[in-house]
């Protein structure tokens, strides 16, 4: 069943943004601090026993100089540096094993799959990157959304988004990559991270965000009791008088605010029966997007959205920005 507004109302839904006055200063300071650490990207050959794909086991310097894992997959038959796709993973997943990520290298791209720090315990793809938070944080509900919710400087997503930005620097440091042609993509949490990176970097070729998470936190936490947004409601059920503090912190990590600052071409998708990332939250980000953007609507789908059936659209999108010599 439809879980949100009718489509005609969604197409007009443009909520007032909840954006901190120091949003840009906060992220400039965060990324300036991160840039103080060399990217130190290491690409170690990994014997995946694949005839058409080469795999590199990647480690690079993320938030606080901490090591972040990734995979880099490359087509064996290539001449010169390739355009690159940086992929971010959904909630509580990780980089897993390279055999799970063969599509984009098969299409002729260099493909970096970034690990999620501290995640990977959700029965999906596993993670090998620790989340080290030296300053600690206050009380939190199970999950990641309320870790550090009392202070944006301590929040979990400050670290993960910084890792995601640094992943672009990591892939550009590979001699196999054409640094002038890099796109970011992901679904759910990965889609939210792609929008965040697009808003924080002006040097991307494209962004693809499928059924993105991390959007319009106040509304999301009030209209769905499914995770992960339910973590916010669960925390606020106990912390009755801290709603504005919590939403204020989360606004520093809201993809709606990042989308307003993005300029590269973007391709979104939304599913009208999605009770994990409600459609209105996706439309809120789409309508604020600062660059050219297209949105594919899946009327009878839930959080799976277009799944693999939507790959031809995304392949065509990247061909349109990268050209056909990938």
């Amino acid at each position: 069943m439809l879980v949100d507004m009718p489509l005609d109302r969604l197409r007009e839904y443009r909520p007032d943004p909840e954006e901190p006055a120091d949003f840009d200063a906060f992220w400039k300071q965060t990324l300036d601090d991160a840039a103080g650490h060399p990217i130190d990207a290491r690409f170690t050959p990994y014997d995946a026993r694949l005839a058409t794909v080469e795999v590199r086991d990647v480690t690079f310097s993320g938030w606080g100089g901490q090591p972040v894992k990734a995979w880099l997959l490359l087509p064996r038959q290539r001449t010169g540096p390739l355009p690159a796709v940086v992929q971010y993973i959904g909630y509580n997943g990780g980089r897993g094993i390279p055999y799970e990520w063969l599509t984009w290298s098969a299409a002729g791209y260099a493909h970096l799959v970034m690990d999620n720090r501290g995640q990977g315990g959700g029965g999906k793809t596993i993670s090998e990157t620790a989340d080290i938070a030296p300053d600690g944080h206050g009380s939190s509900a199970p999950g990641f959304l309320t870790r550090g919710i009392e202070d944006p400087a301590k929040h979990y997503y400050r670290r993960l988004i910084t890792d995601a930005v640094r992943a672009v620097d990591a892939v550009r440091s590979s001699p196999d990559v054409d640094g002038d042609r890099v796109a970011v993509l992901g679904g759910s949490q990965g889609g939210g991270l792609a929008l965040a990176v697009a808003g924080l970097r002006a040097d991307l070729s494209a962004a693809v965000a499928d059924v993105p998470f991390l959007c319009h936190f106040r509304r999301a936490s009030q209209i769905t009791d499914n995770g992960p947004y339910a973590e916010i409601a669960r925390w606020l059920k106990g912390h009755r008088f801290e709603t504005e503090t919590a939403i204020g912190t989360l606004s520093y990590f809201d993809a709606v605010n990042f989308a307003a600052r993005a300029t590269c071409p973007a391709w979104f998708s939304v599913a009208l029966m999605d009770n994990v990332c409600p459609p209105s939250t996706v439309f809120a980000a789409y309508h604020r997007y600062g660059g050219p953007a297209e949105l594919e609507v899946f009327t009878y789908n839930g959080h799976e959205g277009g799944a693999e059936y939507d790959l031809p659209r995304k392949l065509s999108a990247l061909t349109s920005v990268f050209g056909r010599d990938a």
Side-chain angles (χ1 to χ4, degrees):
M1 60 181 290
L2 298 180
V3 297
D4 206 333
M5 304 174 189
L7 183 57
D8 58 345
R9 287 183 57 198
L10 289 169
R11 294 196 189 280
E12 301 300 322
Y13 184 62
R14 289 172 170 81
D16 292 334
E18 298 196 63
E19 184 176 298
D22 66 340
F23 182 89
D24 293 312
F26 174 86
W27 279 106
K28 182 179 186 305
Q29 183 62 58
T30 296
L31 298 182
D32 284 350
D33 290 347
H37 301 275
I39 194 66
D40 192 26
R42 284 162 280 161
F43 302 90
T44 304
Y46 179 91
D47 184 8
R49 301 174 178 83
L50 295 171
T52 60
V53 176
E54 293 181 15
V55 180
R56 307 281 189 268
D57 185 349
V58 181
T59 306
F60 67 90
S61 171
W63 181 87
Q66 295 169 5
V68 177
K69 298 296 293 183
W71 295 116
L72 179 65
L73 291 87
L74 301 160
R76 285 193 185 276
Q77 293 187 357
R78 59 186 186 274
T79 57
L82 299 171
V85 175
V86 178
Q87 182 168 3
Y88 307 114
I89 308 305
Y91 191 81
N92 218 2
R95 72 169 186 164
I97 54 177
Y99 312 100
E100 299 169 281
W101 312 109
L102 298 178
T103 297
W104 296 103
S105 56
Y109 301 116
H111 180 203
L112 186 91
V113 184
M114 189 192 87
D115 213 8
N116 287 328
R117 60 168 55 231
Q119 297 191 26
K124 297 182 284 187
T125 49
I126 61 171
S127 170
E128 298 179 67
T129 300
D131 178 34
I132 304 167
D135 295 329
H137 57 77
S139 65
S140 64
F144 302 94
L145 276 178
T146 63
R147 292 189 183 181
I149 202 165
E150 74 284 354
D151 181 355
K154 297 181 179 180
H155 198 276
Y156 170 82
Y157 277 97
R158 183 187 184 215
R159 303 188 290 279
L160 187 62
I161 290 171
T162 301
D163 292 346
V165 172
R166 299 275 282 173
V168 174
D169 295 318
V171 80
R172 280 200 168 114
S173 72
S174 167
D176 295 299
V177 167
D178 176 355
D180 292 328
R181 295 190 291 172
V182 177
V184 293
L185 64 84
S188 193
Q189 176 183 258
L193 291 175
L195 292 175
V197 176
L200 291 168
R201 303 195 68 123
D203 55 355
L204 297 174
S205 298
V208 179
D210 287 317
V211 292
F213 176 48
L214 304 176
C215 298
H216 201 1
F217 287 108
R218 189 187 297 271
R219 178 169 174 80
S221 64
Q222 292 174 347
I223 67 170
T224 181
D225 56 5
N226 285 296
Y229 288 122
E231 295 168 18
I232 303 168
R234 190 178 304 123
W235 190 85
L236 287 172
K237 184 176 182 180
H239 298 78
R240 292 168 172 80
F241 306 108
E242 298 181 48
T243 297
E244 297 312 311
T245 295
I247 298 301
T249 291
L250 291 169
S251 66
Y252 287 88
F253 314 105
D254 194 328
V256 174
N257 296 332
F258 291 116
R261 291 158 168 80
T263 57
C264 67
W267 285 264
F268 288 71
S269 71
V270 65
L272 299 192
M273 296 186 177
D274 189 346
N275 61 4
V276 176
C277 294
S280 58
T281 68
V282 177
F283 272 89
Y286 169 68
H287 284 146
R288 272 204 94 199
Y289 195 81
E294 297 180 12
L295 175 67
E296 186 76 14
V297 177
F298 296 99
T299 304
Y300 288 94
N301 289 96
H303 194 52
E304 77 282 0
E308 285 74 18
Y309 297 94
D310 197 30
L311 273 171
R313 179 179 71 103
K314 289 179 278 194
L315 288 164
S316 295
L318 292 193
T319 296
S320 73
V321 294
F322 286 149
R324 296 191 174 275
D325 59 338

